[in-house]
Amino acid sequence: MPDTWAFMRAVRNSDLSHPVKHVLLTLASLADPATAIIPERFTPSLTDLSRMTSLGRSTVAESLKGVDVENSENGEGWVKRVQPSMKDARVNKAKTQYAL
């Protein structure tokens, strides 16, 4: 697992699109520097990420979908997301967990 600084260097040197880089670097700014995991108290919603990046909510969602480990062809994505069920999100206000 890379530290946050290594993750940010890799994102900056990648050929990812500008919106995707912006979303990933914003997530990195929220992550614990040593573990590259975003603590629960800092976990952003899609709306939070949209506000932080000034990108549309759908752009943020598509950006995350494209770099998610689960959606990558070889399992080597940039972000591992653990998404709560719709019911848990609505009833318990559960948020997606992120690890870079």
Side-chain angles (χ1 to χ4, degrees), residues 84-98:
S85 67
M86 292 294 269
K87 180 181 178 185
D88 199 27
R90 286 187 183 135
V91 174
N92 299 320
K93 306 284 189 214
K95 291 184 179 179
T96 299
Q97 297 172 339
Y98 296 92

Side-chain angles (χ1 to χ4, degrees), residues 51-63:
R51 182 183 44 77
M52 290 176 190
T53 60
S54 298
L55 296 170
R57 196 171 186 277
S58 62
T59 300
V60 171
E62 283 300 312
S63 295

Side-chain angles (χ1 to χ4, degrees), residues 2-14 24-29 78 100:
D3 64 31
T4 304
W5 301 112
F7 178 84
M8 289 191 294
R9 276 192 303 277
V11 170
R12 284 193 305 268
N13 294 324
S14 74
L24 290 176
L25 291 172
T26 299
L27 286 174
S29 74
W78 292 83
L100 311 178

Side-chain angles (χ1 to χ4, degrees), residues 24-52:
L24 290 176
L25 291 172
T26 299
L27 286 174
S29 74
L30 300 169
D32 178 279
T35 64
I37 294 173
I38 299 176
E40 187 176 339
R41 68 183 186 275
F42 298 131
T43 301
S45 65
L46 284 179
T47 302
D48 293 334
L49 283 172
S50 176
R51 182 183 44 77
M52 290 176 190

